[in-house]
Amino acid sequence: MNDSPGWATPGSPSDGQGSDGSRPPTQPSDAPKWSDSQPPPGQWSSPGAGQAPPPQQGAGWGPYAPQPGQQPGAPYGAPYGHSGGPGGWGGPPPAAKPGVIPLRPLGLGEILDGAVSTLRAHWKTVLSVSLVVAALVQLGLLGTQRLLRDNLVVSTDETATPDELVRLMNDTMLAGFASYYLQLLGLLLVTGLLAGVVSQAVLGRRSTVAAHLRGVRPMAPRMLGLTAVLFLGALAAGMLPALPGLLTGNAVLTVLGVPIGLVLLAWFFVTFVLAPPALMMERGKVTDALKRSAKLVKGSWWRIFGISALTWVITWLVSVIIAVPFAVIAMIVSPDGFDGLLSGTSAQSWTFLLVTAVGGLISLTVTVPMQTGVTSLLYIDQRIRREALDLELARAAGVHDHQDHAAVGSRPGGAGPASGG
């Protein structure tokens, strides 16, 4: 028999049965009662002397009625609003959620949902900032494509020589690198610009474009400096291993250098991906933001890499869905049509480039905020896991009982289940 307060097992004296299941003889009125040996009132309620309480639907385990403030159907002793769960009697209470995420360590689905919820709740500010940066990036892509596509025409009249094929491969890789790094530059800018919006969304506060820009303005020089450092670092990590092959036209060196460059680029990007939100939320120096990112990522590199890679796949699929109709329209209105697309001559026309640029502008405007939201929430999640940032966020949001919730096990290593990624 378990005599712990808050619940009673079948066959305990509290339900009027003996250990063998038979009902004991009636006790004299002066005999000690079960309630006499239990904790004082206020911790739990026992049935009155000599009578059994009426059964109540949804009262949880045992015949006892819920305590005042206890949700019907919750385990006995659980606070209002908590229905308990496996792993303990009642389990930890739910974490507060003043904004787009609960204030506890986040799982993958909560991070993705929080990024989408931020876009929905603050769409005016988010899309305004994203549209301006996407337009600048798309102008750079348009000029780069027009400059490099002159060398990407495949001749169908005669067989290309090996040297021409190597040159074509190198030019194609340069065009791909230029497109990637221009989009990366825009992503870094938007991440820094929208970090403040994400922090307001976490606290459940609204933000306007004017108020947000006033908050960003003092940090603009440091944000641009950090963006330049990250861009040059990513450029060096990804391009230097393949640069000898690209400069000499040696296909072997290029093929060997590209995988090495991709590995270095992935390491550099994940290690310092949290630097933009760290700079804008902590408002420190560029070097401090880089150190903070490396410190927060340490020990969680693969988790952050996996979430970032999955986010990139999702946003890439959305970009393709948006861009394909514009590519079809561009092919139709292009002077050379489908044949020109195969030979590469359509890509040289301004008609084709402008129509596809519109599709690229729309796709970047929609998908970049998703990526930046995930990055900012990863920063907040890492600080919650390591520095109990949820307590500070709860105080800032006006949640007064969150400290009690956190103490019950909402953090990894606590008494209750933590939300992993």
Side-chain angles (χ1 to χ4, degrees):
M1 178 178 67
N2 192 328
D3 293 337
S4 61
W7 72 295
T9 56
S12 66
S14 62
D15 60 14
Q17 294 181 354
S19 58
D20 58 352
S22 62
R23 188 173 297 277
T26 304
Q27 297 177 348
S29 59
D30 58 347
K33 300 179 178 60
W34 174 251
S35 59
D36 294 337
S37 61
Q38 298 307 302
Q43 297 185 15
W44 69 299
S45 58
S46 61
Q51 66 177 13
Q56 298 192 20
Q57 184 177 4
W61 289 100
Y64 306 116
Q67 298 182 30
Q70 179 182 356
Q71 183 180 10
Y76 197 79
Y80 184 85
H82 177 57
S83 59
W89 185 251
K97 187 180 179 182
V100 296
I101 59 170
L103 299 183
R104 56 168 171 74
L106 303 175
L108 170 61
E110 291 167 331
I111 292 176
L112 296 177
D113 179 71
V116 175
S117 299
T118 301
L119 176 58
R120 288 201 307 261
H122 302 264
W123 64 271
K124 290 183 179 179
T125 305
V126 170
L127 293 183
S128 298
V129 172
S130 179
L131 178 61
V132 172
V133 176
L136 296 175
V137 171
Q138 201 60 46
L139 286 175
L141 287 173
L142 188 63
T144 303
Q145 290 172 351
R146 188 65 182 88
L147 180 64
L148 295 178
R149 294 286 176 148
D150 293 339
N151 298 327
L152 300 180
V153 179
V154 180
S155 176
T156 58
D157 297 333
E158 57 184 11
T159 304
T161 64
D163 291 339
E164 290 175 341
L165 290 176
V166 170
R167 179 180 58 82
L168 178 64
M169 182 187 71
N170 289 341
D171 291 338
T172 303
M173 292 183 61
L174 282 173
F177 278 132
S179 176
Y180 170 79
Y181 280 105
L182 283 173
Q183 294 184 53
L184 177 63
L185 180 61
L187 178 63
L188 294 172
L189 279 173
V190 176
T191 302
L193 288 170
L194 294 183
V197 177
V198 177
S199 66
Q200 294 297 313
V202 169
L203 297 176
R205 299 174 181 173
R206 294 288 179 179
S207 63
T208 62
V209 178
H212 177 64
L213 292 180
R214 283 197 299 270
V216 169
R217 189 178 297 115
M219 297 295 297
R222 277 176 277 185
M223 185 188 65
L224 293 176
L226 176 63
T227 301
V229 170
L230 293 176
F231 177 76
L232 293 176
L235 189 66
M239 290 288 292
L240 285 180
L243 192 60
L246 293 173
L247 293 177
T248 61
N250 190 314
V252 176
L253 290 177
T254 302
V255 170
L256 291 177
V258 168
I260 299 175
L262 292 177
V263 172
L264 291 176
L265 178 61
W267 172 85
F268 180 87
F269 179 82
V270 174
T271 301
F272 299 108
V273 69
L274 304 183
L279 176 72
M280 300 306 293
M281 294 186 191
E282 299 179 19
R283 309 185 83 81
K285 299 179 181 179
V286 172
T287 53
D288 295 335
L290 294 171
K291 293 177 182 178
R292 285 288 287 155
S293 179
K295 180 179 179 180
L296 291 173
V297 170
K298 186 178 180 180
S300 301
W301 192 96
W302 284 107
R303 177 176 181 269
I304 295 175
F305 170 78
I307 295 176
S308 301
L310 178 61
T311 305
W312 181 85
V313 171
I314 294 173
T315 54
W316 177 79
L317 291 175
V318 174
S319 299
V320 170
I321 293 173
I322 296 174
V324 165
F326 287 92
V328 173
I329 296 173
M331 182 181 65
I332 294 174
V333 301
S334 179
D336 296 330
F338 185 74
D339 293 335
L341 182 66
L342 293 178
S343 64
T345 57
S346 292
Q348 293 179 301
S349 66
W350 280 108
T351 302
F352 184 90
L353 292 176
L354 288 174
V355 174
T356 55
V358 173
L361 175 63
I362 296 174
S363 64
L364 284 176
T365 302
V366 173
T367 59
V368 167
M370 175 70 177
Q371 293 175 288
T372 59
V374 168
T375 300
S376 296
L377 290 177
L378 278 173
Y379 163 80
I380 294 173
D381 176 58
Q382 288 299 109
R383 288 198 61 187
I384 288 176
R385 292 171 181 268
R386 301 189 178 190
E387 303 172 1
L389 180 65
D390 53 324
L391 301 180
E392 297 181 22
L393 294 174
R395 284 193 293 269
V399 180
H400 302 293
D401 60 342
H402 177 73
Q403 186 170 3
D404 297 333
H405 293 176
V408 183
S410 62
R411 208 174 315 283
S419 174

